[in-house]
Amino acid sequence: MTGLRVDELEALETRTCHKRGGGAEGRERAAVEDLLDQVRTIEWLLRLHLAAMREVTEGSPRLRPVEAEGSLRAFLELHDVVVLEMRRHLSELREAPTMDNARRFAEFWHRVIVPHAQAEDRVLWPLARSLGLGGLSSSVDSLEAEHHEIDELVDAYTMAVDRLEQKDATPADVVGAAQAVRGTVELHFGKEEESVLRPMQRGVTDEQFWPVVAEQDRTIGPWLRAHGWQATTAGR
């Protein structure tokens, strides 16, 4: 992907990420141009890493093991169902970027991803903030803001599909817009699980968390069950 040998790429990563001399004093001595150059290199390395990970996860998806039980397990399994369907749609679109496939992916974003995020806004975030766990509220604030970013990316994808239908965009434009949404959503899910859901395990009971699952069930439950989700909130 880069034209570099593996050892050359690793050497570049090491030079870029290595802490440069003397703590704060060393940072003060660093020229602004040098810092900006490092930032650009880090950004490039990150994009390279994510591109490689995209190929791996779409080619042979392996989801992280679920280590929770009860309501939290049900929620994590919900994420798994959504991620696999998202990957399937993108793979289908990349192989055959037709209007039908593009419209189906747009429907998925609007019928599943956006309502899922709105259900989290209504129930998950207020519950997480109510626990008073150190640092949790700031994590919630960050992830809540990402929902707005995802909404904007979904709108951009829908506009790209409309422009494709009007012959004002290419299939590559639509695929690129789809990849942008998919990458952001999947990274968002990972951050949510690690920075919000995992810490919540220490401060929330199974019964306290069930309303989070129930709201997802109420919002997108029929779609989830049609795609393999087996959780039930009956009687909860």
Side-chain angles (χ1 to χ4, degrees), residues 93-94 96-99 102 157 160 164 168-178:
L93 181 65
R94 292 174 69 188
T98 64
M99 279 305 306
Y157 173 77
L164 177 65
D168 290 333
T170 68
D173 294 330
V174 173
V175 172

Side-chain angles (χ1 to χ4, degrees), residues 39-171:
V39 168
R40 292 188 196 99
T41 305
I42 290 169
E43 182 182 18
W44 177 75
L45 289 168
L46 180 59
R47 289 181 184 276
L48 175 67
H49 171 77
L50 292 179
M53 286 301 296
R54 183 187 68 228
E55 296 301 323
V56 170
T57 57
E58 287 176 12
S60 54
R62 295 181 61 191
L63 303 179
R64 50 99 189 94
V66 177
E67 298 177 354
E69 297 298 332
S71 55
L72 184 55
R73 181 187 181 96
F75 190 88
L76 293 170
E77 289 177 343
L78 175 161
H79 269 187
D80 290 350
V81 170
V82 172
V83 166
L84 283 178
E85 187 65 8
M86 182 168 56
R87 292 174 180 174
R88 185 190 70 77
H89 271 295
L90 181 56
S91 178
E92 186 178 73
L93 181 65
R94 292 174 69 188
E95 290 175 11
T98 64
M99 279 305 306
D100 285 344
N101 287 342
R103 288 290 182 200
R104 275 196 292 271
F105 210 178
E107 184 180 10
F108 168 79
W109 297 127
H110 288 285
R111 286 187 55 203
V112 179
I113 294 298
V114 172
H116 164 72
Q118 292 170 342
E120 289 184 336
D121 292 340
R122 289 191 294 269
V123 181
L124 176 58
W125 304 149
L127 175 60
R129 288 187 174 107
S130 73
L131 299 177
L133 298 175
L136 189 55
S137 289
S138 61
S139 294
V140 168
D141 291 343
S142 174
L143 289 165
E144 189 173 39
E146 286 187 4
H147 280 183
H148 300 298
E149 178 186 351
I150 290 168
D151 287 343
E152 292 173 358
L153 289 172
V154 169
D155 289 342
Y157 173 77
T158 304
M159 290 173 60
V161 174
D162 290 341
R163 287 190 288 108
L164 177 65
E165 191 168 32
Q166 297 162 7
K167 310 295 193 223
D168 290 333
T170 68

